[in-house]
Amino acid sequence: MYDNVADQAALGPWERYEAVARSVRDVLSQRWVLTEKTYERENPKRVYYLSMEFLIGRSLSNNILNLLLDPAIERAAADKDLDWLAVLEQEPDAGLGNGGLGRLAACFIDSMATMQLPAMGYGLRYEYGIFKQTIQDGWQVEQPDNWLRRPDPWEIARPGETVEVQLGCSFEVRGGSLGVVVGRPSSLLGIPYDRPVVGYGGKTVNTLRLWAAAAPDYFDFRAFSAGEFVSALAERLTAESLTRVLYPDDSTSMGQGLRFVQEYFLVACSLADLVRRFRRHDSDWTALPAKVAIQLNDTHPSLAVPELMRILLDEAQLGWDQAWGLTRQTLAYTNHTLLPEALEKWPLPWFALLLPRHLEIILEINRRLVDEVRTRFPGDDGRVERVALIEEGSERRIRMANLAIVGTHSTNGVASIHSELLRTVTVKDLTETFPERFSNKTNGVTPRRWLLLANPHLAHSITRAIGDGWITDLDELARLRPLADDKGFGDAVSAAKREAKTQFANWLKLTSGVTVDPDTIFDCQIKRIHEYKRQLLNALRVVVLYDRLRQNPDLEMAPRTFFFAGKAAPAYHLAKIIIKFLNSLAGTIDGDPAVRGRLKVVFLPEYCVSLAERLIPATDVSNQISTAGYEASGTSNMKFMMNGALTIGTRDGATIEMAEAAGEENFFMFGLTAEQVAGSRSWYSPQWHYDNEPETRAALDLIFSDHFSRYEPGIFEPLRQTLLTGGDNYMHLADLTAYLEADRRLLELYADPMGWARKVILNVAGSGRFSSDRTIGEYAAEIWDVKPCPVP
Ligand SMILES: *Cc1c(COP(=O)(O)O)cnc(C)c1O
């Protein structure tokens, strides 16, 4: 294979990539087959992770690393003078997700394979992933992500394992538009495309199975009249468009019909597939929870509750109570957000049309639930109304979160504060009804991709200091603690950071022409653009610092580069204005000789997994500044921490636990707590801050005076509305001065390189808990009850 790799040097870059990828796939395919064979033989309890999103990124370098092939490949590449980095660059990111939720799914399947758990991921094979972002005149422009334009060497179609999905209605084209034909059932095919998931060390190779939709092939075309022929083809077109595109909304439910069908399609295909596998080994349906654990990544796949009930009632012919017990014991649900706009509620008429049997089942679940709650809490009609699966109103809707909590044995949040708020605020009544179902599983990220692969210099320094056990046991990093004051290790860590910054600066120059100086502080905020994540608060900080330098050119201030990156949902207008503002800020500061060389803002377009892998190792300062109580967990916060960035952040999500792990004194925490945010809602006045804080007022006045929009006056008026006159829902102004104060402390430390390195080491040493291996260990022990099934 190594010859094969190097012999490709004469070919074009894509052909070389494809050849290397195919060689690597050949190497792993034996293990892949053997893994499934082992599971078939041992028949262990298996985990199925159902997720509408898997934000995988690139696979080649990750698979090489996990197969421990990197030294051999590097040698072969060097021998034949192969431009290895150019080969890696050929691979498109598999962007089948929006942000944190999809990336979590990708980290989880890596951890499950590394921990040798018999696990499988189920998702959809979107032909178009998350859109490509370009910036034109400072505005976000979306372009389709045709990532499968060229054949993907990592996927294998398995048409032999196709499943059929039944729908309660049909679709046909009438007069050029798509209509629903009520009461005429139809069906769809789900074709599985398998991708290998290589565990570290290459022992276990699990499968990520993605479904593509197709129309069934059993039409007898000769039997159709001309009109029917056209509508039959149209039906085929409809079927295939179902998995065409990923919905680009993050932490928001857009409530569109096609998305509803996508969600059902994922559930129906995956359950049909896993039930078929289960039945090959076990004829006794009651063994289901002993052999199968299904984790629902948010409510998106929560139709699994009525779908599994349908299978057990109608296909297995079990009675209600038995079917219900098995369903609940098999399913578990992860909640990802408390934002009201993210809670899925599907119109009841859609169920009636598309999934009439499922509606029947949901209504029966609801009837029994309401009976139980009435009995246990007599006279408490408010409670009954709140726990019910159906939201009454002019349009009745099914509350998918309630369905998921009621229909599973486990509901977990993704960070301690999030799980607590979920229990005590968001679904308080359901928690009081089923307290034993709720738990916390703080998120994590895979240290293989996010440290070993992304940051080879730091990884190497760590391995030299404590050995390489940390790669699969990240708690080992705690052994770096005694080295906090070790000059040699501190220098190695600083040198690794410096190297990553230089590499990033070179890459940026080469690919975009933008120059950044590695001798400045790299200060980053990269994540989806959302009001609650408060990129605007960061922008206000930059405006204040900029204004200080304008007012006082002799001011001493370490030179800094502020990086922003992130996509806005295409329909989220304010988020798009925030992107425009960040670009205007960057342009104005670049054009102002008063601050040249001291302050720079860069908006990096097309935030994706590969960009994160480049920028995070190069970062000095990580901004995690959501309004407290709004960020469920965050995971980029963890990636930054293990890569030796210091965090400036609010007490929100997993950042709270990170500060605990590293010691609060090694974090730069500021701002209102979630409790304070909730408690000051009724009297909070952004205007007060404008009237009483000179720097806040000066910053806002600078924005409203069109200083950053000289040639487009008035375009940032919506910012006045959101920050001032509209009540500042996310409390930017309430936290701005505290943010600046934390920033001042941070700069003070930066002036002391030894002190800085010390805190960096203590942060890395404290990041062990935030490996997704730890998270998966908790799911396996406390929710799934699955054990490793090693492949011989
Ligand atoms: C880690 C990651 C995220 C999640 O970032 P948060 O800051 O936790 O929201 C989103 N997108 C990509 C590409 C990531 O790698």
Side-chain angles (χ1 to χ4, degrees):
M1 152 200 181
Y2 311 124
D3 289 344
N4 192 4
V5 169
D7 284 347
Q8 308 300 328
L11 300 173
W14 169 263
E15 286 73 20
R16 268 181 273 160
Y17 159 69
E18 206 179 22
V20 179
R22 286 194 188 285
S23 307
V24 172
R25 204 184 78 187
D26 287 346
V27 171
L28 65 80
S29 62
Q30 251 190 4
R31 266 336 263 188
W32 198 4
V33 171
L34 195 58
T35 301
E36 188 49 42
K37 262 200 190 135
T38 305
Y39 298 164
E40 283 288 313
R41 190 183 60 236
E42 302 290 325
N43 190 24
K45 182 172 185 181
R46 301 201 199 207
V47 193
Y48 297 101
Y49 196 82
L50 267 63
S51 179
M52 286 290 281
E53 305 190 8
F54 285 89
L55 192 49
I56 299 165
R58 289 178 172 152
S59 293
L60 177 56
S61 51
N62 194 252
N63 286 345
I64 288 174
L65 180 93
N66 281 7
L67 290 165
L68 312 179
L69 291 174
D70 40 325
I73 296 258
E74 269 160 32
R75 240 179 295 121
D79 282 355
K80 296 288 167 99
D81 216 13
L82 185 71
D83 185 352
W84 183 238
L85 292 181
V87 171
L88 296 180
E89 279 301 291
Q90 288 297 311
E91 181 174 7
D93 265 49
L96 310 183
N98 275 284
L101 173 146
R103 185 53 232 176
L104 184 78
C107 284
F108 275 9
I109 56 176
D110 176 280
S111 283
M112 290 189 279
T114 296
M115 297 164 78
Q116 309 190 25
L117 295 176
M120 193 164 185
Y122 277 122
L124 294 183
R125 181 182 179 267
Y126 304 107
E127 285 170 49
Y128 294 84
I130 186 67
F131 63 84
K132 294 275 174 199
Q133 179 194 56
T134 61
I135 301 297
Q136 288 172 26
D137 300 327
W139 296 99
Q140 167 175 297
V141 175
E142 301 95 24
Q143 240 106 45
D145 164 40
N146 190 2
W147 73 293
L148 292 171
R149 188 179 353 236
R150 297 190 273 203
D152 182 353
W154 302 114
E155 68 173 18
I156 296 186
R158 308 249 186 236
E161 298 186 49
T162 296
V163 298
E164 192 165 342
V165 171
Q166 309 296 331
L167 300 174
C169 62
S170 325
F171 304 90
E172 71 176 21
V173 177
R174 271 184 252 118
S177 70
L178 191 69
V180 171
V181 186
V182 182
R184 170 159 50 98
S186 65
S187 67
L188 281 171
L189 297 183
I191 303 168
Y193 285 75
D194 288 354
R195 310 176 68 85
V197 183
V198 182
Y200 186 73
K203 296 195 189 85
T204 292
V205 181
N206 282 337
T207 299
L208 170 60
R209 176 159 281 192
L210 303 180
W211 298 103
D217 221 3
Y218 47 61
F219 295 115
D220 179 359
F221 282 104
R222 279 159 309 177
F224 285 105
S225 70
E228 284 171 326
F229 179 74
V230 169
S231 76
L233 283 182
E235 204 164 290
R236 170 176 299 275
L237 218 73
T238 325
E240 275 151 14
S241 54
L242 183 63
T243 48
R244 189 88 74 215
V245 61
L246 165 78
Y247 277 89
D249 308 291
D250 188 66
S251 301
T252 311
S253 168
M254 293 297 276
Q256 306 215 18
L258 190 70
R259 166 76 177 197
F260 180 63
V261 186
Q262 279 186 342
E263 293 185 354
Y264 179 62
F265 181 71
L266 167 66
V267 162
C269 290
S270 309
L271 290 196
D273 192 48
L274 70 87
V275 162
R276 178 171 61 190
R277 192 173 300 114
F278 165 73
R279 295 283 288 169
R280 277 207 299 269
H281 294 279
D282 302 271
S283 52
D284 182 5
W285 286 97
T286 60
L288 189 70
K291 291 294 176 187
V292 173
I294 300 172
Q295 191 67 36
L296 309 176
N297 196 23
D298 213 323
T299 55
H300 314 150
S302 58
L303 284 167
V305 173
E307 175 69 3
L308 190 50
M309 281 299 282
R310 185 194 63 77
I311 293 170
L312 295 174
L313 292 170
D314 301 355
E315 293 179 18
Q317 303 275 311
L318 303 182
W320 181 277
D321 290 332
Q322 194 175 27
W324 184 238
L326 295 174
T327 295
R328 283 207 32 244
Q329 287 178 73
T330 304
L331 299 175
Y333 156 62
T334 303
N335 174 280
H336 278 274
T337 171
L338 309 174
L339 298 179
E341 66 266 32
L343 291 181
E344 289 190 300
K345 292 170 192 171
W346 293 110
L348 195 142
W350 294 7
F351 284 84
L353 209 60
L354 207 77
L355 306 170
R357 177 61 178 141
H358 297 76
L359 178 57
E360 225 168 62
I361 291 169
I362 289 170
L363 292 175
E364 180 60 16
I365 297 172
N366 187 57
R367 192 187 67 76
R368 288 164 180 251
L369 170 72
V370 164
D371 271 1
E372 183 184 343
V373 175
R374 283 225 169 91
T375 311
R376 287 177 53 188
F377 303 90
D380 195 346
D381 290 346
R383 175 184 300 266
V384 170
E385 196 283 313
R386 289 187 298 271
V387 302
L389 303 189
I390 295 151
E391 181 181 83
E392 301 295 339
S394 55
E395 195 188 34
R396 301 173 84 199
R397 291 165 178 273
I398 311 290
R399 296 166 170 152
M400 302 309 278
N402 291 29
L403 176 63
I405 294 167
V406 171
T408 63
H409 69 93
S410 159
T411 293
N412 74 280
V414 290
S416 178
I417 182 181
H418 166 69
S419 297
E420 195 53 31
L421 289 172
L422 182 69
R423 277 191 290 246
T424 56
V425 181
T426 317
V427 292
K428 182 163 180 280
D429 303 281
L430 279 167
T431 311
E432 287 165 4
T433 314
F434 310 113
E436 70 292 345
R437 293 188 194 176
F438 288 79
S439 76
N440 173 247
K441 301 284 171 282
T442 299
N443 282 166
V445 301
T446 168
R448 269 75 63 185
R449 182 180 290 266
W450 293 110
L451 180 48
L452 185 58
L453 180 63
N455 201 343
H457 290 98
L458 180 59
H460 186 68
S461 302
I462 294 171
T463 296
R464 244 189 341 213
I466 59 168
D468 64 1
W470 62 271
I471 297 170
T472 51
D473 177 9
L474 206 63
D475 285 327
E476 287 272 306
L477 292 181
R479 292 173 51 208
L480 296 172
R481 230 165 251 148
L483 300 180
D485 295 305
D486 182 291
K487 173 88 168 63
F489 187 64
D491 286 348
V493 166
S494 307
K497 181 62 72 184
R498 172 69 210 208
E499 178 60 30
K501 289 170 79 173
T502 307
Q503 266 187 24
F504 183 81
N506 292 343
W507 171 82
L508 187 64
K509 180 77 190 163
L510 202 72
T511 52
S512 68
V514 173
T515 305
V516 292
D517 180 357
D519 284 328
T520 62
I521 301 173
F522 281 13
D523 180 301
C524 292
Q525 189 178 16
I526 54 174
K527 47 185 77 247
R528 284 300 286 253
I529 310 292
H530 211 295
E531 287 163 277
Y532 86 80
K533 291 178 181 280
R534 294 202 296 193
Q535 280 91 359
L536 268 181
L537 176 60
N538 192 349
L540 287 172
R541 173 184 62 142
V542 175
V543 172
V544 168
L545 298 178
Y546 167 62
D547 201 36
R548 281 184 195 164
L549 286 174
R550 278 175 16 117
Q551 305 302 332
N552 182 1
D554 298 327
L555 190 68
E556 283 222 25
M557 195 191 284
R560 309 175 75 167
T561 308
F562 297 95
F563 293 96
F564 291 89
K567 293 175 184 178
Y572 191 169
H573 297 295
L574 194 79
K576 293 177 118 173
I577 289 173
I578 292 172
I579 291 178
K580 170 69 175 173
F581 181 65
L582 295 172
N583 281 294
S584 300
L585 187 59
T588 305
I589 287 179
D590 262 348
D592 191 335
V595 296
R596 188 148 304 148
R598 313 188 63 184
L599 218 59
K600 187 173 177 69
V601 175
V602 179
F603 186 93
L604 302 159
E606 181 52 17
Y607 180 48
C608 60
V609 172
S610 328
L611 179 60
E613 286 172 39
R614 286 179 205 289
L615 183 56
I616 290 172
T619 298
D620 298 302
V621 179
S622 159
N623 285 268
Q624 306 298 336
I625 57 173
S626 52
T627 315
Y630 283 80
E631 185 75 271
S633 161
T635 47
S636 78
N637 46 1
M638 303 168 184
K639 302 168 194 164
F640 281 112
M641 184 189 193
M642 57 185 71
N643 279 282
L646 298 188
T647 303
I648 183 166
T650 46
R651 289 176 180 81
D652 203 13
T655 306
I656 298 174
E657 292 160 66
M658 287 162 40
E660 245 164 47
E664 279 252 359
E665 68 283 8
N666 299 308
F667 262 61
F668 295 86
M669 304 292 270
F670 70 90
L672 300 179
T673 62
E675 227 166 51
Q676 291 169 326
V677 166
S680 56
R681 280 274 170 223
S682 53
W683 51 264
Y684 171 58
S685 156
Q687 187 68 41
W688 185 92
H689 293 274
Y690 180 85
D691 292 338
N692 292 280
E693 296 166 0
E695 291 202 313
T696 302
R697 182 166 59 249
L700 290 174
D701 284 346
L702 212 52
I703 299 169
F704 302 151
S705 71
D706 283 316
H707 183 79
F708 304 103
S709 44
R710 232 161 298 166
Y711 304 105
E712 299 160 285
I715 56 165
F716 297 131
E717 269 309 299
L719 299 186
R720 185 202 299 275
Q721 154 71 26
T722 189
L723 290 174
L724 215 50
T725 52
D728 188 16
N729 217 257
Y730 294 93
M731 310 194 86
H732 297 82
L733 302 195
D735 276 345
L736 180 56
T737 43
Y739 189 18
L740 290 162
E741 167 55 21
D743 192 71
R744 190 195 56 73
R745 286 187 276 131
L746 196 123
L747 284 187
E748 206 174 271
L749 181 70
Y750 195 77
D752 163 21
M754 297 274 285
W756 184 275
R758 178 169 195 282
K759 283 202 185 344
V760 165
I761 294 169
L762 290 171
N763 264 267
V764 175
S767 70
R769 205 178 152 245
F770 304 100
S771 165
S772 44
D773 299 347
R774 188 267 312 148
T775 315
I776 286 299
E778 292 176 7
Y779 276 89
E782 297 162 26
I783 299 179
W784 303 331
D785 192 27
V786 292
K787 312 238 150 25
C789 179
V791 182

Short mmCIF file of all heavy atoms in Angstrom, two decimals, residues 55 98-100 103 450 526-528 533 607-609 612 624 631 634-637 639, ligand 1:
data_model
loop_
_atom_site.label_atom_id
_atom_site.label_comp_id
_atom_site.label_asym_id
_atom_site.label_seq_id
_atom_site.Cartn_x
_atom_site.Cartn_y
_atom_site.Cartn_z
N LEU A 55 -21.42 15.80 11.98
CA LEU A 55 -20.49 16.79 11.40
C LEU A 55 -19.09 16.19 11.44
O LEU A 55 -18.31 16.42 12.35
CB LEU A 55 -20.58 18.09 12.21
CG LEU A 55 -19.91 19.34 11.64
CD1 LEU A 55 -20.30 19.58 10.19
CD2 LEU A 55 -20.29 20.55 12.47
N ASN A 98 -24.91 21.04 11.52
CA ASN A 98 -24.89 22.49 11.67
C ASN A 98 -23.78 22.98 12.58
O ASN A 98 -23.12 23.97 12.28
CB ASN A 98 -26.23 22.97 12.24
CG ASN A 98 -27.27 23.17 11.17
OD1 ASN A 98 -27.23 24.15 10.45
ND2 ASN A 98 -28.17 22.21 11.03
N GLY A 99 -23.61 22.31 13.72
CA GLY A 99 -22.67 22.82 14.71
C GLY A 99 -22.44 21.79 15.80
O GLY A 99 -22.21 20.60 15.50
N GLY A 100 -22.54 22.22 17.05
CA GLY A 100 -22.17 21.39 18.18
C GLY A 100 -22.86 20.04 18.24
O GLY A 100 -22.21 19.03 18.51
N ARG A 103 -21.40 17.74 15.62
CA ARG A 103 -20.00 17.42 15.92
C ARG A 103 -19.94 16.47 17.11
O ARG A 103 -19.09 15.58 17.17
CB ARG A 103 -19.21 18.70 16.16
CG ARG A 103 -17.71 18.50 16.37
CD ARG A 103 -17.04 17.68 15.25
NE ARG A 103 -16.28 16.58 15.81
CZ ARG A 103 -15.66 15.65 15.10
NH1 ARG A 103 -15.67 15.67 13.76
NH2 ARG A 103 -15.02 14.68 15.70
N TRP A 450 -8.94 16.24 18.02
CA TRP A 450 -8.82 17.63 18.47
C TRP A 450 -7.51 17.97 19.17
O TRP A 450 -7.25 19.12 19.46
CB TRP A 450 -10.02 18.01 19.35
CG TRP A 450 -11.28 18.01 18.56
CD1 TRP A 450 -12.31 17.13 18.64
CD2 TRP A 450 -11.62 18.91 17.48
NE1 TRP A 450 -13.28 17.42 17.71
CE2 TRP A 450 -12.88 18.50 16.99
CE3 TRP A 450 -10.99 20.02 16.89
CZ2 TRP A 450 -13.53 19.17 15.93
CZ3 TRP A 450 -11.63 20.68 15.85
CH2 TRP A 450 -12.88 20.25 15.38
N ILE A 526 -15.26 31.37 17.62
CA ILE A 526 -15.70 30.64 16.42
C ILE A 526 -16.80 29.69 16.82
O ILE A 526 -16.64 28.82 17.66
CB ILE A 526 -14.52 29.88 15.76
CG1 ILE A 526 -13.80 28.96 16.75
CG2 ILE A 526 -13.52 30.87 15.19
CD1 ILE A 526 -12.73 28.08 16.12
N LYS A 527 -17.96 29.86 16.23
CA LYS A 527 -19.16 29.07 16.54
C LYS A 527 -20.28 29.62 15.68
O LYS A 527 -20.12 30.68 15.06
CB LYS A 527 -19.51 29.17 18.03
CG LYS A 527 -19.49 30.61 18.57
CD LYS A 527 -19.73 30.68 20.07
CE LYS A 527 -18.55 30.31 20.92
NZ LYS A 527 -18.72 29.10 21.69
N ARG A 528 -21.42 28.93 15.64
CA ARG A 528 -22.55 29.47 14.90
C ARG A 528 -22.85 30.88 15.38
O ARG A 528 -22.68 31.20 16.56
CB ARG A 528 -23.78 28.56 15.07
CG ARG A 528 -23.71 27.30 14.25
CD ARG A 528 -23.62 27.56 12.76
NE ARG A 528 -24.89 28.01 12.23
CZ ARG A 528 -25.70 27.28 11.46
NH1 ARG A 528 -25.34 26.05 11.11
NH2 ARG A 528 -26.84 27.76 11.01
N LYS A 533 -25.15 33.52 21.75
CA LYS A 533 -23.71 33.28 21.85
C LYS A 533 -22.93 34.60 21.94
O LYS A 533 -21.74 34.61 22.26
CB LYS A 533 -23.22 32.46 20.65
CG LYS A 533 -23.73 31.00 20.68
CD LYS A 533 -23.26 30.23 19.45
CE LYS A 533 -23.74 28.80 19.40
NZ LYS A 533 -22.94 27.86 20.23
N TYR A 607 -16.61 28.67 8.24
CA TYR A 607 -16.25 27.92 9.44
C TYR A 607 -16.71 26.47 9.28
O TYR A 607 -17.86 26.21 8.93
CB TYR A 607 -16.89 28.54 10.68
CG TYR A 607 -16.56 27.80 11.96
CD1 TYR A 607 -15.24 27.46 12.24
CD2 TYR A 607 -17.55 27.43 12.86
CE1 TYR A 607 -14.92 26.76 13.39
CE2 TYR A 607 -17.23 26.75 14.03
CZ TYR A 607 -15.92 26.41 14.28
OH TYR A 607 -15.60 25.73 15.42
N CYS A 608 -15.81 25.53 9.52
CA CYS A 608 -16.12 24.11 9.37
C CYS A 608 -15.11 23.34 10.24
O CYS A 608 -14.25 23.95 10.88
CB CYS A 608 -15.99 23.68 7.91
SG CYS A 608 -14.35 23.94 7.24
N VAL A 609 -15.24 22.03 10.26
CA VAL A 609 -14.37 21.22 11.12
C VAL A 609 -12.90 21.45 10.78
O VAL A 609 -12.06 21.65 11.66
CB VAL A 609 -14.75 19.73 11.04
CG1 VAL A 609 -13.72 18.86 11.77
CG2 VAL A 609 -16.13 19.51 11.65
N ALA A 612 -11.66 24.71 12.13
CA ALA A 612 -11.51 24.61 13.59
C ALA A 612 -10.22 23.88 13.95
O ALA A 612 -9.49 24.29 14.86
CB ALA A 612 -12.73 23.89 14.20
N GLN A 624 -15.87 32.37 25.36
CA GLN A 624 -17.07 31.55 25.60
C GLN A 624 -18.03 32.41 26.42
O GLN A 624 -18.06 32.32 27.64
CB GLN A 624 -16.69 30.26 26.32
CG GLN A 624 -15.60 29.46 25.62
CD GLN A 624 -15.99 28.98 24.22
OE1 GLN A 624 -17.17 28.83 23.90
NE2 GLN A 624 -15.00 28.73 23.37
N GLU A 631 -26.36 28.55 26.86
CA GLU A 631 -25.54 27.57 26.14
C GLU A 631 -25.63 26.26 26.89
O GLU A 631 -25.20 26.17 28.04
CB GLU A 631 -24.09 28.04 26.06
CG GLU A 631 -23.18 27.16 25.21
CD GLU A 631 -23.40 27.33 23.71
OE1 GLU A 631 -24.27 26.61 23.17
OE2 GLU A 631 -22.74 28.19 23.11
N GLY A 634 -21.69 23.58 25.06
CA GLY A 634 -20.55 24.06 24.29
C GLY A 634 -19.56 22.91 24.21
O GLY A 634 -19.46 22.06 25.12
N THR A 635 -18.87 22.81 23.09
CA THR A 635 -17.78 21.84 22.99
C THR A 635 -16.52 22.49 22.44
O THR A 635 -15.42 21.99 22.68
CB THR A 635 -18.17 20.64 22.10
OG1 THR A 635 -18.75 21.11 20.88
CG2 THR A 635 -19.14 19.72 22.81
N SER A 636 -16.66 23.62 21.73
CA SER A 636 -15.43 24.28 21.26
C SER A 636 -14.66 24.78 22.48
O SER A 636 -13.43 24.81 22.46
CB SER A 636 -15.74 25.40 20.27
OG SER A 636 -16.19 26.56 20.92
N ASN A 637 -15.36 25.15 23.54
CA ASN A 637 -14.68 25.55 24.79
C ASN A 637 -13.68 24.47 25.23
O ASN A 637 -12.55 24.77 25.62
CB ASN A 637 -15.72 25.87 25.89
CG ASN A 637 -16.84 24.83 26.00
OD1 ASN A 637 -16.86 23.83 25.28
ND2 ASN A 637 -17.76 25.06 26.92
N LYS A 639 -12.29 22.05 23.27
CA LYS A 639 -11.21 21.91 22.28
C LYS A 639 -10.12 22.94 22.55
O LYS A 639 -8.93 22.64 22.51
CB LYS A 639 -11.76 22.08 20.86
CG LYS A 639 -12.86 21.11 20.47
CD LYS A 639 -13.54 21.56 19.15
CE LYS A 639 -14.86 20.83 18.92
NZ LYS A 639 -15.71 21.50 17.89
C1 LIG B 1 -16.88 22.14 17.98
C2 LIG B 1 -17.58 22.72 16.83
C3 LIG B 1 -18.79 23.42 17.01
C4 LIG B 1 -19.38 23.67 18.37
O1 LIG B 1 -18.92 24.92 18.82
P1 LIG B 1 -19.55 25.67 20.08
O2 LIG B 1 -18.65 26.85 20.26
O3 LIG B 1 -19.50 24.73 21.22
O4 LIG B 1 -20.93 26.06 19.69
C5 LIG B 1 -19.41 23.94 15.90
N1 LIG B 1 -18.89 23.80 14.67
C6 LIG B 1 -17.73 23.15 14.46
C7 LIG B 1 -17.20 23.05 13.07
C8 LIG B 1 -17.04 22.59 15.53
O5 LIG B 1 -15.89 21.94 15.30
#
